[in-house]
Amino acid sequence: MVVRTDIKMGKGKIAAQCCHAAIGAYKQADKAKIRKWENEAYAKVVLKAPSLQDLYNLRELARANGVAYYLVTDAGRTQLPKSTVTVLGLGPDEDDVLDKAVIEAVLKMEDGELVPQVVEGIRTAVKHFGSDLRDG
């Protein structure tokens, strides 16, 4: 999931929007990729994007690489105006495909300087703990 950081959302709102993104992308994903993801570590990664345009750019990269995606548009009932785009959900897919489609692009974004350590930490944890990481 990639969350916009240029809009004000509380932690609970971000969590809810990420849930919408995860479910939406999951429903769009190839069934074989879903089965593989479910039989492995159920890895989930949350990254940040500094703008709406960045989410649109990532969506286009996902589309070009055949990665399932879901763009969350808020209903406007609580913290945000109606139709505010908040989160882009991606995958599940193979690590190398997601790296090509997303992580490299996020690393190039304006405020993505901490992302390399986060991604490496997640990969290390998944390799070490394997399928025990099901609630990430």
Side-chain angles (χ1 to χ4, degrees):
M1 278 114 355
V2 186
V3 180
R4 280 180 64 188
T5 58
D6 63 326
I7 55 177
K8 296 279 185 187
M9 292 188 284
K11 292 176 184 175
K13 181 70 166 180
I14 292 170
Q17 298 296 292
C18 284
C19 289
H20 292 312
I23 292 169
Y26 180 90
K27 287 181 173 182
Q28 302 299 319
D30 177 78
K31 301 304 178 211
K33 291 177 183 178
I34 290 172
R35 276 192 303 278
K36 184 173 187 215
W37 178 73
E38 288 175 339
N39 289 324
E40 291 181 357
Y42 278 84
K44 292 166 263 344
V45 178
V46 180
L47 304 173
K48 58 185 178 177
S51 73
L52 176 60
Q53 188 58 53
D54 289 312
L55 284 189
Y56 288 152
N57 293 343
L58 288 170
R59 178 188 61 187
E60 293 312 309
L61 284 170
R63 184 179 289 154
N65 286 281
V67 174
Y69 65 89
Y70 184 81
L71 198 60
V72 179
T73 303
D74 193 66
R77 293 188 200 108
T78 57
Q79 299 175 16
L80 301 170
K82 185 177 181 176
S83 300
T84 301
V85 175
T86 58
V87 178
L88 175 66
L90 299 159
D93 211 312
E94 298 292 332
D95 285 348
D96 60 333
V97 174
L98 287 173
D99 286 353
K100 180 179 178 188
V102 180
I103 294 174
E104 291 175 13
V106 171
L107 294 178
K108 295 175 186 173
M109 289 181 195
E110 184 178 311
D111 66 351
E113 60 276 346
L114 296 179
V115 174
Q117 294 84 2
V118 172
V119 170
E120 187 54 38
I122 291 167
R123 289 218 174 106
T124 300
V126 168
K127 287 178 183 172
H128 180 73
F129 294 107
S131 61
D132 291 337
L133 290 176
R134 294 193 185 259
D135 61 354

